[in-house]
mmCIF file of all heavy atoms in Angstrom:
data_model
loop_
_atom_site.group_PDB
_atom_site.id
_atom_site.type_symbol
_atom_site.label_atom_id
_atom_site.label_comp_id
_atom_site.label_asym_id
_atom_site.label_seq_id
_atom_site.Cartn_x
_atom_site.Cartn_y
_atom_site.Cartn_z
ATOM 1 N N TYR A 30 16.317 -17.386 -19.958
ATOM 2 C CA TYR A 30 15.462 -16.966 -21.083
ATOM 3 C C TYR A 30 14.021 -17.545 -20.836
ATOM 4 O O TYR A 30 13.834 -18.746 -20.794
ATOM 5 C CB TYR A 30 15.980 -17.555 -22.393
ATOM 6 C CG TYR A 30 17.026 -16.677 -23.039
ATOM 7 C CD1 TYR A 30 18.313 -17.148 -23.141
ATOM 8 C CD2 TYR A 30 16.718 -15.494 -23.566
ATOM 9 C CE1 TYR A 30 19.287 -16.393 -23.726
ATOM 10 C CE2 TYR A 30 17.678 -14.692 -24.191
ATOM 11 C CZ TYR A 30 18.954 -15.130 -24.264
ATOM 12 O OH TYR A 30 19.876 -14.368 -24.854
ATOM 13 N N ARG A 60 1.987 -11.459 -23.928
ATOM 14 C CA ARG A 60 2.029 -10.155 -23.197
ATOM 15 C C ARG A 60 3.051 -9.231 -23.800
ATOM 16 O O ARG A 60 2.883 -8.042 -23.652
ATOM 17 C CB ARG A 60 2.335 -10.431 -21.734
ATOM 18 C CG ARG A 60 1.099 -11.045 -20.968
ATOM 19 C CD ARG A 60 1.454 -11.434 -19.567
ATOM 20 N NE ARG A 60 1.760 -10.290 -18.743
ATOM 21 C CZ ARG A 60 0.834 -9.516 -18.189
ATOM 22 N NH1 ARG A 60 -0.450 -9.796 -18.283
ATOM 23 N NH2 ARG A 60 1.149 -8.491 -17.408
ATOM 24 N N GLY A 64 2.145 -5.641 -25.079
ATOM 25 C CA GLY A 64 2.887 -4.469 -24.574
ATOM 26 C C GLY A 64 3.084 -4.421 -23.101
ATOM 27 O O GLY A 64 3.681 -3.537 -22.542
ATOM 28 N N SER A 67 8.297 -6.066 -22.083
ATOM 29 C CA SER A 67 9.154 -5.605 -23.190
ATOM 30 C C SER A 67 10.166 -6.715 -23.556
ATOM 31 O O SER A 67 10.731 -7.243 -22.652
ATOM 32 C CB SER A 67 9.891 -4.347 -22.733
ATOM 33 O OG SER A 67 8.943 -3.341 -22.310
ATOM 34 N N ASP A 69 13.633 -8.467 -24.693
ATOM 35 C CA ASP A 69 15.068 -8.078 -24.457
ATOM 36 C C ASP A 69 15.851 -8.136 -25.758
ATOM 37 O O ASP A 69 16.944 -7.537 -25.895
ATOM 38 C CB ASP A 69 15.699 -9.040 -23.451
ATOM 39 C CG ASP A 69 15.360 -8.631 -22.045
ATOM 40 O OD1 ASP A 69 15.718 -7.476 -21.711
ATOM 41 O OD2 ASP A 69 14.666 -9.381 -21.358
ATOM 42 N N GLU A 70 15.339 -8.885 -26.722
ATOM 43 C CA GLU A 70 15.997 -8.932 -28.049
ATOM 44 C C GLU A 70 14.883 -8.940 -29.084
ATOM 45 O O GLU A 70 13.801 -9.418 -28.792
ATOM 46 C CB GLU A 70 16.806 -10.234 -28.221
ATOM 47 C CG GLU A 70 18.044 -10.305 -27.324
ATOM 48 C CD GLU A 70 18.669 -11.665 -27.405
ATOM 49 O OE1 GLU A 70 17.963 -12.671 -27.164
ATOM 50 O OE2 GLU A 70 19.840 -11.774 -27.656
ATOM 51 N N GLY A 71 15.173 -8.421 -30.211
ATOM 52 C CA GLY A 71 14.229 -8.521 -31.318
ATOM 53 C C GLY A 71 13.213 -7.403 -31.303
ATOM 54 O O GLY A 71 13.119 -6.623 -30.375
ATOM 55 N N GLU A 82 8.221 0.174 -28.834
ATOM 56 C CA GLU A 82 8.195 1.301 -27.886
ATOM 57 C C GLU A 82 6.816 1.785 -27.496
ATOM 58 O O GLU A 82 6.712 2.727 -26.719
ATOM 59 C CB GLU A 82 9.026 2.469 -28.508
ATOM 60 C CG GLU A 82 10.480 2.168 -28.645
ATOM 61 C CD GLU A 82 11.268 3.231 -29.257
ATOM 62 O OE1 GLU A 82 10.779 4.391 -29.369
ATOM 63 O OE2 GLU A 82 12.468 3.041 -29.554
ATOM 64 N N ASN A 86 -1.708 0.820 -24.237
ATOM 65 C CA ASN A 86 -2.839 1.571 -24.655
ATOM 66 C C ASN A 86 -2.734 2.202 -26.030
ATOM 67 O O ASN A 86 -3.692 2.667 -26.570
ATOM 68 C CB ASN A 86 -3.174 2.626 -23.530
ATOM 69 C CG ASN A 86 -2.025 3.521 -23.241
ATOM 70 O OD1 ASN A 86 -0.867 3.171 -23.442
ATOM 71 N ND2 ASN A 86 -2.340 4.739 -22.770
ATOM 72 N N MET A 92 -7.241 -7.643 -25.843
ATOM 73 C CA MET A 92 -6.901 -8.892 -25.193
ATOM 74 C C MET A 92 -8.140 -9.397 -24.470
ATOM 75 O O MET A 92 -8.879 -8.650 -23.820
ATOM 76 C CB MET A 92 -5.757 -8.668 -24.242
ATOM 77 C CG MET A 92 -5.252 -9.916 -23.596
ATOM 78 S SD MET A 92 -3.450 -9.734 -23.445
ATOM 79 C CE MET A 92 -3.083 -10.765 -22.112
ATOM 80 N N SER A 96 -9.135 -14.372 -16.684
ATOM 81 C CA SER A 96 -10.148 -14.146 -15.629
ATOM 82 C C SER A 96 -11.230 -13.213 -16.168
ATOM 83 O O SER A 96 -12.034 -12.622 -15.411
ATOM 84 C CB SER A 96 -9.479 -13.494 -14.450
ATOM 85 O OG SER A 96 -8.884 -12.319 -14.842
ATOM 86 N N HIS A 102 -17.951 -2.751 -11.838
ATOM 87 C CA HIS A 102 -18.843 -1.617 -11.475
ATOM 88 C C HIS A 102 -19.587 -1.104 -12.696
ATOM 89 O O HIS A 102 -20.348 -0.151 -12.594
ATOM 90 C CB HIS A 102 -17.989 -0.517 -10.856
ATOM 91 C CG HIS A 102 -16.850 -0.088 -11.709
ATOM 92 N ND1 HIS A 102 -15.841 -0.898 -12.108
ATOM 93 C CD2 HIS A 102 -16.554 1.144 -12.289
ATOM 94 C CE1 HIS A 102 -14.975 -0.261 -12.875
ATOM 95 N NE2 HIS A 102 -15.401 0.946 -12.960
ATOM 96 N N TYR A 111 -16.677 0.587 -23.199
ATOM 97 C CA TYR A 111 -15.542 1.239 -22.562
ATOM 98 C C TYR A 111 -14.461 1.701 -23.586
ATOM 99 O O TYR A 111 -14.066 2.895 -23.603
ATOM 100 C CB TYR A 111 -14.927 0.334 -21.524
ATOM 101 C CG TYR A 111 -13.832 0.957 -20.693
ATOM 102 C CD1 TYR A 111 -14.091 1.719 -19.602
ATOM 103 C CD2 TYR A 111 -12.476 0.809 -21.045
ATOM 104 C CE1 TYR A 111 -13.100 2.292 -18.850
ATOM 105 C CE2 TYR A 111 -11.468 1.373 -20.294
ATOM 106 C CZ TYR A 111 -11.790 2.124 -19.202
ATOM 107 O OH TYR A 111 -10.786 2.731 -18.449
ATOM 108 N N ARG A 116 -12.082 6.084 -27.213
ATOM 109 C CA ARG A 116 -11.674 6.525 -28.528
ATOM 110 C C ARG A 116 -12.526 7.725 -29.004
ATOM 111 O O ARG A 116 -12.463 8.100 -30.146
ATOM 112 C CB ARG A 116 -11.765 5.356 -29.501
ATOM 113 C CG ARG A 116 -10.624 4.382 -29.354
ATOM 114 C CD ARG A 116 -10.950 3.046 -30.025
ATOM 115 N NE ARG A 116 -9.836 2.122 -29.944
ATOM 116 C CZ ARG A 116 -9.461 1.487 -28.837
ATOM 117 N NH1 ARG A 116 -10.114 1.717 -27.685
ATOM 118 N NH2 ARG A 116 -8.416 0.686 -28.846
ATOM 119 N N ARG A 159 -16.215 -7.069 -25.735
ATOM 120 C CA ARG A 159 -15.508 -5.864 -25.392
ATOM 121 C C ARG A 159 -14.235 -5.718 -26.217
ATOM 122 O O ARG A 159 -13.803 -4.618 -26.614
ATOM 123 C CB ARG A 159 -15.136 -5.927 -23.895
ATOM 124 C CG ARG A 159 -14.564 -4.617 -23.363
ATOM 125 C CD ARG A 159 -14.309 -4.713 -21.923
ATOM 126 N NE ARG A 159 -13.374 -5.741 -21.586
ATOM 127 C CZ ARG A 159 -12.901 -5.946 -20.339
ATOM 128 N NH1 ARG A 159 -13.375 -5.266 -19.337
ATOM 129 N NH2 ARG A 159 -12.023 -6.901 -20.143
ATOM 130 N N VAL B 3 23.016 -12.238 -22.780
ATOM 131 C CA VAL B 3 22.420 -10.922 -23.085
ATOM 132 C C VAL B 3 21.995 -10.247 -21.762
ATOM 133 O O VAL B 3 21.329 -10.821 -20.940
ATOM 134 C CB VAL B 3 21.238 -11.070 -24.005
ATOM 135 C CG1 VAL B 3 20.806 -9.677 -24.445
ATOM 136 C CG2 VAL B 3 21.605 -11.890 -25.156
ATOM 137 N N GLN B 7 17.738 -4.151 -23.276
ATOM 138 C CA GLN B 7 16.698 -3.695 -24.193
ATOM 139 C C GLN B 7 15.343 -3.518 -23.514
ATOM 140 O O GLN B 7 14.678 -2.561 -23.632
ATOM 141 C CB GLN B 7 16.600 -4.638 -25.404
ATOM 142 C CG GLN B 7 15.616 -4.074 -26.428
ATOM 143 C CD GLN B 7 15.425 -5.062 -27.618
ATOM 144 O OE1 GLN B 7 16.310 -5.689 -28.060
ATOM 145 N NE2 GLN B 7 14.195 -5.127 -28.068
ATOM 146 N N SER B 8 14.975 -4.535 -22.714
ATOM 147 C CA SER B 8 13.682 -4.447 -22.074
ATOM 148 C C SER B 8 13.728 -3.302 -21.059
ATOM 149 O O SER B 8 12.676 -2.601 -20.906
ATOM 150 C CB SER B 8 13.280 -5.769 -21.376
ATOM 151 O OG SER B 8 14.178 -6.048 -20.343
ATOM 152 N N ASP B 12 11.078 -0.421 -21.296
ATOM 153 C CA ASP B 12 10.200 -0.173 -20.160
ATOM 154 C C ASP B 12 10.276 1.297 -19.767
ATOM 155 O O ASP B 12 9.310 1.919 -19.452
ATOM 156 C CB ASP B 12 10.597 -1.069 -19.001
ATOM 157 C CG ASP B 12 10.087 -2.509 -19.224
ATOM 158 O OD1 ASP B 12 9.167 -2.682 -20.030
ATOM 159 O OD2 ASP B 12 10.608 -3.434 -18.583
ATOM 160 N N LYS B 14 11.132 3.774 -21.738
ATOM 161 C CA LYS B 14 10.454 4.563 -22.738
ATOM 162 C C LYS B 14 8.949 4.557 -22.540
ATOM 163 O O LYS B 14 8.267 5.560 -22.642
ATOM 164 C CB LYS B 14 10.802 4.104 -24.147
ATOM 165 C CG LYS B 14 12.049 4.782 -24.689
ATOM 166 C CD LYS B 14 12.301 4.398 -26.142
ATOM 167 C CE LYS B 14 13.708 4.816 -26.538
ATOM 168 N NZ LYS B 14 14.414 3.838 -27.326
ATOM 169 N N LYS B 15 8.438 3.376 -22.327
ATOM 170 C CA LYS B 15 7.000 3.228 -22.072
ATOM 171 C C LYS B 15 6.545 4.051 -20.866
ATOM 172 O O LYS B 15 5.482 4.683 -20.856
ATOM 173 C CB LYS B 15 6.627 1.760 -21.896
ATOM 174 C CG LYS B 15 6.632 0.945 -23.148
ATOM 175 C CD LYS B 15 6.177 -0.475 -22.856
ATOM 176 C CE LYS B 15 6.522 -1.457 -23.934
ATOM 177 N NZ LYS B 15 6.300 -2.825 -23.505
ATOM 178 N N ASP B 588 -8.303 -8.170 -8.992
ATOM 179 C CA ASP B 588 -7.537 -8.884 -10.004
ATOM 180 C C ASP B 588 -6.768 -7.886 -10.835
ATOM 181 O O ASP B 588 -7.294 -6.898 -11.379
ATOM 182 C CB ASP B 588 -8.539 -9.651 -10.839
ATOM 183 C CG ASP B 588 -7.823 -10.526 -11.885
ATOM 184 O OD1 ASP B 588 -6.623 -10.447 -11.930
ATOM 185 O OD2 ASP B 588 -8.533 -11.247 -12.620
ATOM 186 N N SER B 590 -5.635 -8.137 -13.742
ATOM 187 C CA SER B 590 -5.977 -8.077 -15.194
ATOM 188 C C SER B 590 -7.152 -7.113 -15.463
ATOM 189 O O SER B 590 -7.307 -6.713 -16.608
ATOM 190 C CB SER B 590 -6.242 -9.422 -15.749
ATOM 191 O OG SER B 590 -7.225 -10.091 -14.986
ATOM 192 N N GLU B 593 -5.337 -4.109 -16.268
ATOM 193 C CA GLU B 593 -4.535 -4.372 -17.489
ATOM 194 C C GLU B 593 -5.507 -4.296 -18.717
ATOM 195 O O GLU B 593 -5.097 -3.811 -19.771
ATOM 196 C CB GLU B 593 -3.887 -5.723 -17.461
ATOM 197 C CG GLU B 593 -2.528 -5.699 -16.780
ATOM 198 C CD GLU B 593 -1.851 -7.035 -16.785
ATOM 199 O OE1 GLU B 593 -2.461 -7.995 -17.189
ATOM 200 O OE2 GLU B 593 -0.675 -7.048 -16.366
ATOM 201 N N SER B 594 -6.678 -4.793 -18.528
ATOM 202 C CA SER B 594 -7.581 -4.802 -19.681
ATOM 203 C C SER B 594 -7.993 -3.425 -20.064
ATOM 204 O O SER B 594 -8.089 -3.075 -21.237
ATOM 205 C CB SER B 594 -8.784 -5.734 -19.427
ATOM 206 O OG SER B 594 -9.871 -5.045 -19.055
ATOM 207 N N TYR B 596 -6.177 -0.783 -19.605
ATOM 208 C CA TYR B 596 -4.926 -0.269 -20.186
ATOM 209 C C TYR B 596 -4.821 -0.748 -21.690
ATOM 210 O O TYR B 596 -4.546 0.056 -22.587
ATOM 211 C CB TYR B 596 -3.782 -0.814 -19.384
ATOM 212 C CG TYR B 596 -2.421 -0.113 -19.558
ATOM 213 C CD1 TYR B 596 -2.312 1.187 -19.955
ATOM 214 C CD2 TYR B 596 -1.255 -0.792 -19.270
ATOM 215 C CE1 TYR B 596 -1.086 1.808 -20.088
ATOM 216 C CE2 TYR B 596 0.017 -0.218 -19.424
ATOM 217 C CZ TYR B 596 0.042 1.110 -19.813
ATOM 218 O OH TYR B 596 1.278 1.668 -19.942
ATOM 219 N N ASP B 597 -5.117 -1.979 -21.859
ATOM 220 C CA ASP B 597 -5.037 -2.606 -23.173
ATOM 221 C C ASP B 597 -6.078 -2.022 -24.122
ATOM 222 O O ASP B 597 -5.868 -1.901 -25.350
ATOM 223 C CB ASP B 597 -5.251 -4.106 -23.002
ATOM 224 C CG ASP B 597 -5.020 -4.850 -24.290
ATOM 225 O OD1 ASP B 597 -3.910 -4.736 -24.834
ATOM 226 O OD2 ASP B 597 -5.913 -5.575 -24.754
ATOM 227 N N MET B 598 -7.217 -1.610 -23.580
ATOM 228 C CA MET B 598 -8.247 -1.062 -24.388
ATOM 229 C C MET B 598 -7.940 0.391 -24.859
ATOM 230 O O MET B 598 -8.675 0.965 -25.646
ATOM 231 C CB MET B 598 -9.619 -0.940 -23.627
ATOM 232 C CG MET B 598 -10.148 -2.186 -23.042
ATOM 233 S SD MET B 598 -10.585 -3.384 -24.260
ATOM 234 C CE MET B 598 -12.057 -2.620 -24.844
ATOM 235 N N THR B 608 -11.331 5.638 -13.922
ATOM 236 C CA THR B 608 -12.501 4.919 -14.398
ATOM 237 C C THR B 608 -12.607 3.505 -13.817
ATOM 238 O O THR B 608 -13.723 2.943 -13.739
ATOM 239 C CB THR B 608 -12.560 4.828 -15.873
ATOM 240 O OG1 THR B 608 -11.404 4.191 -16.371
ATOM 241 C CG2 THR B 608 -12.703 6.172 -16.534
ATOM 242 N N LYS B 693 -21.041 -6.127 -3.566
ATOM 243 C CA LYS B 693 -21.448 -6.612 -4.890
ATOM 244 C C LYS B 693 -20.238 -7.129 -5.656
ATOM 245 O O LYS B 693 -20.255 -8.156 -6.282
ATOM 246 C CB LYS B 693 -22.107 -5.539 -5.640
ATOM 247 C CG LYS B 693 -23.642 -5.654 -5.785
ATOM 248 C CD LYS B 693 -24.190 -4.787 -6.872
ATOM 249 C CE LYS B 693 -24.184 -3.312 -6.469
ATOM 250 N NZ LYS B 693 -24.691 -2.397 -7.501
#
Side-chain angles (χ1 to χ4, degrees):
Chain A
Y30 276 113
R60 287 173 66 82
S67 305
D69 280 298
E70 292 171 306
E82 293 182 8
N86 55 336
M92 185 144 155
S96 59
H102 56 300
Y111 186 84
R116 285 164 178 71
R159 187 178 63 177
Chain B
V3 187
Q7 187 183 321
S8 65
D12 284 339
K14 269 187 194 137
K15 286 184 196 169
D588 184 359
S590 55
E593 274 184 354
S594 99
Y596 195 26
D597 188 56
M598 304 293 289
T608 58
K693 250 196 289 179

